[in-house]
Amino acid sequence: MENVKPYNDFGDFLRKVFPCKVQKISINAGFTCPNRDGSKGWGGCTYCNNQTFSPEYCHTEKSVTEQLEEGIRFFSRKYPEMKYLAYFQAYTNTYDELSSLKAKYKEALSYPGVVGLIVGTRPDCMPDALLDYFTELSREKFVMIEYGLESTLDKTLLRINRGHTYEESENAIRRTAGRGIYTGAHLILGLPGESREEILHHADRLSGLPVTTLKLHQLQLIRNTRMAKEYAEHPEEFHLYTADEYIDLVIDFIEKLNPSIVVERFVSQSPKELLIAPDWGLKNFEFTAKVNKRIAERNARQGRLFIPFS
């Protein structure tokens, strides 16, 4: 009997799309954000320190080619036949002149073994001209646009200095998916001011959108961020989940989630030297194993409580 997973797994999604093993290679292409350079605000999102998700090879003094070369060298030792997705990850990777953006994407796609792009960006940074380019490109290569939504509540987006609204998030997702492009979304669970019920309602709202993949991760307090300062001054405004609490939260979340949405991850792991809290002492794969164990104990599954929109 076929072993059916209790949630729509990202690894299974990739295996359906590609006939070979693929690996994402993170790239820091030297972009900034509109809420850092003054066009929408200053200082960036209150929780953000981009050092938390940039591998050691991702330094802006290195070219896109150099970063791909170093990343691929690491993985190709073990998997010589592997192919790669260039993951433009740090900051807002659609926030530049169109010619400059296209040149960097082309550089990545020209590297041997790179079979597609994943581009992380903000919902308010996808002009029509760039979407036209991605539409054409997606007819020949794998293209996924990954939008940082972080929350579906405008009160939260304002508090964390995102500089965009949830309406803009919905619009960007619909415009992108409407072009036939794989469309990802990213949420942070546990942002200050959000109740458990409000967090779970994110699943309801996202379930009505044409989202291909979803990344979830816990709120982490990171050194040298405004949110860390807020926490030091008003810790009562934050609920930092224990590992067990968060495991039950994400399971409750995916039970409400449209079963067609691919769950890429449940958790994120920041460098220990930058993390203030919560420090669970678990690597990502260890946490996922605990989630799977708890899912089995609860006999849970993605979409069990999903109510289709009429």
Side-chain angles (χ1 to χ4, degrees):
M1 183 176 177
E2 185 183 359
N3 180 24
V4 179
K5 291 185 179 177
Y7 54 87
N8 200 350
D9 178 68
F10 186 65
D12 291 342
F13 165 76
L14 289 179
R15 281 186 282 274
K16 290 175 185 174
V17 175
F18 293 100
C20 57
K21 192 174 180 66
V22 293
Q23 173 66 46
K24 292 190 291 183
I25 303 293
S26 294
I27 294 169
N28 184 340
F31 297 115
T32 183
C33 289
N35 62 347
R36 283 183 175 270
D37 68 4
S39 67
K40 286 204 166 184
W42 300 98
C45 305
T46 61
Y47 56 81
C48 183
N49 179 335
N50 259 256
Q51 288 178 273
T52 58
F53 56 72
S54 293
E56 288 189 6
Y57 58 80
C58 288
H59 297 297
T60 53
E61 67 269 15
K62 296 177 183 177
S63 69
V64 168
T65 297
E66 288 171 323
Q67 291 178 55
L68 283 169
E69 183 178 26
E70 291 188 27
I72 289 173
R73 188 187 306 136
F74 176 82
F75 289 104
S76 64
R77 294 183 188 129
K78 189 172 182 181
Y79 303 104
E81 303 303 317
M82 183 181 279
K83 301 298 182 185
Y84 301 92
L85 299 172
Y87 180 21
F88 286 81
Q89 183 180 21
Y91 296 108
T92 304
N93 294 277
T94 59
Y95 187 55
D96 203 348
E97 295 296 325
L98 184 60
S99 58
S100 175
L101 292 168
K102 289 166 72 173
K104 289 182 177 179
Y105 304 147
K106 183 178 179 181
E107 182 182 353
L109 288 168
S110 298
Y111 196 88
V114 172
V115 293
L117 299 177
I118 300 177
V119 179
T121 189
R122 292 164 53 93
D124 56 346
C125 291
M126 185 55 73
D128 286 336
L130 184 56
L131 197 55
D132 290 341
Y133 165 78
F134 284 132
T135 302
E136 290 298 315
L137 185 62
S138 69
R139 293 176 181 141
E140 301 176 4
K141 299 284 187 179
F142 177 93
V143 177
M144 177 178 287
I145 308 301
E146 185 178 290
Y147 290 109
L149 277 57
E150 316 314 351
S151 176
T152 70
L153 293 174
D154 284 338
K155 67 171 187 176
T156 303
L157 297 174
L158 182 63
R159 176 168 182 168
I160 63 177
N161 195 42
R162 278 298 290 176
H164 66 79
T165 64
Y166 178 63
E167 183 180 1
E168 288 174 291
S169 298
E170 281 200 348
N171 180 260
I173 288 170
R174 294 188 189 281
R175 287 171 57 229
T176 305
R179 301 291 193 98
I181 299 170
Y182 294 122
T183 308
H186 181 275
L187 283 178
I188 300 173
L189 304 188
L191 287 165
E194 292 192 352
S195 68
R196 198 176 197 282
E197 291 70 27
E198 287 173 324
I199 292 170
L200 294 177
H201 189 52
H202 297 327
D204 298 326
R205 303 190 80 175
L206 282 183
S207 290
L209 296 177
V211 173
T212 312
T213 65
L214 175 63
K215 284 181 177 177
L216 301 173
H217 81 67
Q218 77 281 24
L219 175 66
Q220 298 175 97
L221 297 174
I222 306 301
R223 299 188 193 285
N224 304 318
T225 62
R226 279 189 285 170
M227 189 171 284
K229 185 173 183 292
E230 291 172 10
Y231 177 71
E233 293 172 351
H234 297 287
E236 72 280 0
E237 296 182 6
F238 292 76
H239 178 77
L240 298 180
Y241 286 82
T242 66
D244 287 339
E245 280 182 319
Y246 184 75
I247 286 168
D248 277 317
L249 178 69
V250 295
I251 294 172
D252 288 346
F253 190 99
I254 66 169
E255 288 217 297
K256 292 168 69 69
L257 189 66
N258 189 325
S260 70
I261 296 175
V262 177
V263 180
E264 184 167 352
R265 75 177 189 208
F266 301 112
V267 70
S268 181
Q269 186 178 355
S270 296
K272 204 167 183 68
E273 66 273 14
L274 294 176
L275 180 63
I276 297 172
D279 185 358
W280 296 333
L282 296 168
K283 296 187 181 299
N284 288 0
F285 74 90
E286 294 172 325
F287 184 88
T288 300
K290 284 181 171 290
V291 171
N292 288 329
K293 182 174 182 290
R294 184 70 176 134
I295 285 174
E297 291 171 351
R298 290 179 44 174
N299 195 27
R301 69 180 187 278
Q302 182 178 344
R304 185 178 69 87
L305 301 176
F306 166 63
I307 302 174
F309 288 79
S310 58

